Amino acid sequence: MMRAFLICLLPYILANGLASAMEYESLKDDLLSPYPAHHSPVQSSRTTRDIHPLLHNNTYLTYNAHSSENLFPVTNTRYFVSDIALNQWSTYNKNHVYGHVTTIYNPSKTFSVLEATYGGCQGNQLDTSVNAARRGQCFVAQNGGYFNTKTQSCLGNVISRGRTLHTSDATNAHFGILSNGSIVVGYISDADLRRLNFTNLVGGVIWLVRNGTSFVEESVSMESSDTEETGTLRYFSDVQSARTAIGHDKHGWVVLVQVDGQT
């Protein structure tokens, strides 16, 4: 499995197309093709409730998204460099890790899941994130979601601008926006999908933080690796590698995090 979608801020207030951030190609062009071995995330045929411990009554959580009549600023990006130990025993040998954090204001008006493949989930033709972002006239774009590396079809639940592109009773974490502007994070069942009115929804792997507390260990134990192609979910969560994440803060702003580099 591999990333299949582009999480995009729509430039609804921009008259001249792409912002300067999208005017350069990345060094490797961010080709949306299968990762090397041990990089694959997971999906399962088990039901959402089956994997969720009785400790938590709800398989997902809903939060109020930030909303304002003031359209500026649309977003803000901060860059960072961190020294990360090569392993838990390293004290002096560290890697310089580069990345950036983007805050999205008014997410119900600006956040969208954009298909990054020609022809949608069943198009079976991959594209670079730069090209997909240009087609969608994204102000800010980041990879998200996963696909089957053999068929290149979508995995998980995928809703783009109110259009349902793919459904699955996926046992991996999802992030979405409802029509009322609420943010939803967690495990989404078929019943949830029918009951909740999503405008945008995308799946991933590992629910990182739940109510301000790390939820990684719980995610590793709950999320299924039934169709894991290589490696284990534990390895996926522990290996030092390029990663993207999406979440929100206490203000209801959506936050995109990207750690650059390779495994």
Side-chain angles (χ1 to χ4, degrees), residues 43-44 46 48 156-157 168-172 174 187-190:
Q43 177 155 327
S44 168
R46 294 188 301 166
T48 299
N157 297 308
S168 170
D169 192 15
T171 58
N172 296 92
H174 281 68
Y187 306 114
I188 308 300
S189 68
D190 287 341

Side-chain angles (χ1 to χ4, degrees), residues 35-60:
Y35 275 152
H38 66 246
H39 228 93
S40 301
V42 299
Q43 177 155 327
S44 168
S45 59
R46 294 188 301 166
T47 65
T48 299
R49 173 49 68 184
D50 284 344
I51 68 157
H52 213 266
L54 297 179
L55 170 64
H56 298 286
N57 185 46
N58 296 321
T59 62
Y60 65 86

Side-chain angles (χ1 to χ4, degrees), residues 89-112:
W89 301 283
S90 296
T91 303
Y92 303 105
N93 296 326
K94 296 184 177 181
N95 285 331
H96 293 303
V97 176
Y98 300 85
H100 52 272
V101 178
T102 298
T103 302
I104 302 170
Y105 312 105
N106 280 311
S108 63
K109 301 175 182 177
T110 59
F111 173 84
S112 180

Side-chain angles (χ1 to χ4, degrees), residues 74-87:
V74 179
T75 182
N76 177 57
T77 297
R78 295 175 290 111
Y79 295 85
F80 64 85
V81 180
S82 298
D83 287 333
I84 305 296
L86 296 178
N87 55 58

Side-chain angles (χ1 to χ4, degrees), residues 60-185:
Y60 65 86
L61 297 177
T62 303
Y63 306 88
N64 292 326
H66 168 256
S67 180
S68 174
E69 295 302 320
N70 185 4
L71 299 181
F72 296 95
V74 179
T75 182
N76 177 57
T77 297
R78 295 175 290 111
Y79 295 85
F80 64 85
V81 180
S82 298
D83 287 333
I84 305 296
L86 296 178
N87 55 58
Q88 58 182 324
W89 301 283
S90 296
T91 303
Y92 303 105
N93 296 326
K94 296 184 177 181
N95 285 331
H96 293 303
V97 176
Y98 300 85
H100 52 272
V101 178
T102 298
T103 302
I104 302 170
Y105 312 105
N106 280 311
S108 63
K109 301 175 182 177
T110 59
F111 173 84
S112 180
V113 175
L114 176 69
E115 301 163 81
T117 57
Y118 292 105
C121 282
Q122 305 303 324
N124 297 335
Q125 184 177 354
L126 304 181
D127 193 14
T128 65
S129 57
V130 170
N131 288 341
R134 284 174 174 161
R135 287 200 308 274
Q137 294 188 311
C138 301
F139 185 57
V140 174
Q142 178 169 296
N143 291 338
Y146 295 93
F147 64 82
N148 186 299
T149 60
K150 296 180 177 62
T151 66
Q152 297 178 2
S153 61
C154 299
L155 294 177
N157 297 308
V158 184
I159 297 176
S160 174
R161 306 173 188 178
R163 296 179 300 116
T164 299
L165 306 180
H166 192 264
T167 60
S168 170
D169 192 15
T171 58
N172 296 92
H174 281 68
F175 182 95
I177 303 287
L178 300 180
S179 60
N180 65 6
S182 299
I183 295 171
V184 175
V185 181

